[in-house]
Amino acid sequence: MRWARRDAEPFLARHPLPTEPLPVPGPAPYFAALAAAETSAEVSAVTQRFLDAAQSALSAVSDLLVAIARWGDRHRFTEQGSAPKLLMEAASRSLSVPAIADEADLKTLRAEYDPAPTSPAESRSERPQVPSALPPSPPPAPRGPAPGR
């Protein structure tokens, strides 16, 4: 590693690259909003805004990792676990982070706003028993051959 850094010094002198981190959304406003959130909808709003803000940085990371993996056609015909394959996998995973977070957010909202239907027995037991002016339903007819057949 030390020798590679030494060998890359002339290249970096000709192609200076930034040493500071890529611009990313500072997390402070998101943490503050999350601390103030009281409902699933408010937490979802924080989640979605953060994912939107981070998307361009994650896309840039993925794109550059793919370009590095493809440099010099090294990625062709390489075995699983090789450096190019690992870089391609890292690129893919960097894009899956927002997709997984978005799926989790959607599941939370569905649980809150679209709960699973209850069974008919549960529905009847949860309904308040209101006296009806109608007589009770007759008992079910016994099973067997129909009369007159």
Side-chain angles (χ1 to χ4, degrees):
M1 297 301 162
R2 185 178 74 220
W3 295 43
R5 277 194 298 270
R6 182 204 64 196
D7 291 347
E9 283 177 6
F11 172 80
L12 290 174
R14 291 188 314 273
H15 303 279
L17 298 172
T19 56
E20 64 275 352
L22 289 175
V24 295
Y30 301 97
F31 281 119
L34 184 59
E38 295 180 1
T39 67
S40 296
E42 293 168 349
V43 172
S44 176
V46 173
T47 303
Q48 292 304 314
R49 292 284 174 95
F50 179 71
L51 292 175
D52 289 346
Q55 183 62 44
S56 63
L58 292 172
S59 292
V61 167
S62 178
D63 292 347
L64 187 56
L65 290 175
V66 168
I68 293 168
R70 290 181 173 171
W71 175 77
D73 284 336
R74 300 184 311 159
H75 67 292
R76 295 180 184 262
F77 312 112
T78 60
E79 296 178 12
Q80 198 65 16
S82 66
K85 294 285 186 185
L86 290 173
L87 287 165
M88 296 291 255
E89 184 179 339
S92 175
R93 287 186 182 191
S94 71
L95 292 178
S96 68
V97 168
I100 293 168
D102 191 52
E103 180 181 352
D105 183 51
L106 185 59
K107 284 184 178 195
T108 300
L109 290 177
R110 281 191 176 142
E112 178 85 19
Y113 289 97
D114 191 19
T118 57
S119 69
E122 290 175 25
S123 299
R124 274 185 255 124
S125 66
E126 292 175 9
R127 279 192 222 140
Q129 298 297 324
V130 178
S132 172
L134 299 175
S137 300
R143 295 201 169 244
R149 286 195 190 173

